[in-house]
Amino acid sequence: MQPLGADEPAAVGPYRLLGRLGSGGMGRVYLGRSAGGRTVAVKIVHPHFALDEEFRARFRREVDAARRVGGAWTAPVLDADPEAAVPWVATAYAAGPSLAAAVTDGGPLPARTVRALGAGLAEALAAVHELGLVHRDVKPSNVLLTLDGPLLIDFGIARATDGTASLTSTGVSVGSPGYMSPSRSSARASPGRPTSSPSARCWPTRRPVNPRSRATPRPPCCTRSSTRNRNSAA
């Protein structure tokens, strides 16, 4: 956690900010505390995005999607104000690093841990899909590792499976290229096709097959032949 800068707010809504947990292209996340002493994570969008009505619509959808999923598979939403001058959302604070941070700091995870992580993510995604939602941006930085299992975060580009409330145009790929299925990255995916590659999610966590080799191994789903076969079936 980083200390608050001179240009950062001391409070957002009813929450006093204690420090900055992280930042990204869309906004910053702070550790906050309510008047009753509850610790929360407060996400604030960058001020220039607040002027963009399309972005505000995306932010509302992120909050609504996280509320629908609930606390079993994502940090539960406790409070939010999408209509504020600078929109924000407060969620329960989940103590634990992101999958990306865990691998960056500690290196590849043991095979047994990766199998448990894969099973937990499969359960989380199944629960999300049962609610009629598709996350569309599952990647290591959007997976938190907690004592109770992995949590999915950042539902900013989630899409209802009935095709409503989409902020994207036909033929435009949505998601992080390194973690999208080949069919989705080619912008030709149909509604029934997968929007991400499950094995790619856990691939960065695995130990190399040959530790003496300097070549970076690639997941089976992302090999050239596999991509060609998937696209030829389109």
Side-chain angles (χ1 to χ4, degrees):
M1 184 174 67
Q2 300 297 318
L4 296 176
D7 60 339
E8 294 179 299
V12 172
Y15 304 101
R16 179 170 60 91
L17 302 186
L18 306 177
R20 187 185 340 109
L21 295 173
S23 62
M26 300 297 179
R28 294 179 176 179
V29 181
Y30 297 92
L31 184 67
R33 184 162 294 157
S34 70
R38 183 166 190 173
T39 303
V40 300
V42 183
K43 179 178 181 179
I44 307 173
V45 305
H46 291 312
H48 61 276
F49 283 122
L51 303 176
D52 186 337
E53 285 303 318
E54 185 175 278
F55 182 85
R56 279 184 176 272
R58 171 178 170 171
F59 189 81
R60 293 187 200 101
R61 287 176 54 218
E62 176 179 356
V63 173
D64 291 343
R67 279 177 167 153
R68 288 175 63 183
V69 175
W73 306 111
T74 189
V77 173
L78 303 176
D79 199 358
D81 190 356
E83 310 305 327
V86 178
W88 58 271
V89 58
T91 64
Y93 175 63
S98 70
L99 175 57
V103 174
T104 298
D105 294 342
L109 305 178
R112 181 177 180 181
T113 302
V114 174
R115 286 194 294 269
L117 173 62
L121 284 176
E123 290 180 357
L125 288 172
V128 170
H129 294 169
E130 285 180 359
L131 293 171
L133 293 172
V134 180
H135 189 286
R136 300 206 296 177
D137 199 24
V138 182
K139 58 185 177 181
S141 60
N142 283 343
V143 176
L144 294 183
L145 305 181
T146 73
L147 293 176
D148 295 326
L151 295 180
L152 290 173
I153 61 172
D154 197 352
F155 284 78
I157 57 175
R159 176 180 183 273
T161 55
D162 61 5
T164 61
S166 176
L167 291 180
T168 57
S169 303
T170 302
V172 177
S173 299
V174 176
S176 300
Y179 301 96
M180 297 165 65
S181 66
S183 58
R184 177 61 62 179
S185 61
S186 66
R188 293 189 298 158
S190 63
R193 293 195 175 187
T195 59
S196 61
S197 177
S199 58
R201 212 71 53 250
C202 292
W203 185 257
T205 71
R206 293 181 56 185
R207 297 184 184 279
V209 175
N210 182 1
R212 295 183 180 180
S213 172
R214 294 185 179 182
T216 302
R218 301 188 66 183
C221 67
C222 298
T223 60
R224 190 169 298 175
S225 60
S226 175
T227 302
R228 182 169 59 251
N229 291 339
R230 284 173 179 250
N231 289 336
S232 64

